[in-house]
Amino acid sequence: MPNKHFCQGPRCHERVTQDRFLKSRGVIRGRYAILPRDNDSEYYGRGKFFCSTSCENQWLDEHMTAIEMRIPVPFITHRRESQGYAKVTEEREGWQGTYTSSRIERVDNRTEIE
Ligand SMILES: [Zn+2]
């Protein structure tokens, strides 16, 4: 395991991207944060906690009310995942002939591992 926190984005493990997809188990996994824990950048300290600015924004959207109410926000310490995804490949007709197109799709009811 790298010397990084898991991304604290509340929906990071639900965003369907190639790099989050683990084909062998059919799951979407949350990313690691961009920067290692021991990075002491003054310019992007948040990079130790998030993989992207969109995950930072989602964290604020989801947790600011809790912070205002002094309710502790849990720190994510394990890799979260969403199950039930598969890579679907199809043959398609294009103007240059047949080509193969693939995408990641949800294939059954999602159950989250918390
Ligand atoms: Zn993230």
Side-chain angles (χ1 to χ4, degrees):
M1 177 174 138
N3 180 30
K4 287 182 173 180
H5 290 301
F6 291 108
C7 174
Q8 300 298 303
R11 308 260 85 85
C12 193
H13 63 303
E14 295 172 359
R15 302 176 73 181
V16 179
T17 59
Q18 289 284 350
D19 68 302
R20 289 179 171 96
F21 179 59
L22 184 65
K23 188 179 177 183
S24 62
R25 291 177 43 226
V27 296
I28 299 292
R29 304 190 299 173
R31 286 174 174 160
Y32 286 103
I34 295 173
L35 297 177
R37 294 174 200 216
D38 54 6
N39 182 286
D40 50 12
S41 162
E42 290 174 29
Y43 304 103
Y44 192 52
R46 288 166 292 161
K48 288 194 274 191
F49 304 106
F50 296 98
C51 75
S52 61
T53 51
S54 62
C55 280
E56 294 172 23
N57 291 333
Q58 285 181 343
W59 189 94
L60 286 168
D61 288 343
E62 186 141 322
H63 296 308
M64 275 318 293
T65 305
I67 289 169
E68 184 182 20
M69 295 170 70
R70 275 61 165 184
I71 298 169
V73 173
F75 193 81
I76 295 163
T77 56
H78 63 285
R79 189 164 217 170
R80 294 175 305 161
E81 54 185 51
S82 304
Q83 295 181 317
Y85 290 83
K87 191 167 196 170
V88 177
T89 303
E90 335 177 287
E91 299 256 300
R92 292 179 171 221
E93 291 294 327
W95 63 278
Q96 284 183 311
T98 307
Y99 68 99
T100 304
S101 144
S102 59
R103 62 192 182 277
I104 301 163
E105 270 187 7
R106 211 156 115 186
V107 291
D108 48 62
N109 289 334
R110 180 178 58 201
T111 49
E112 285 184 30
I113 296 176
E114 285 293 341

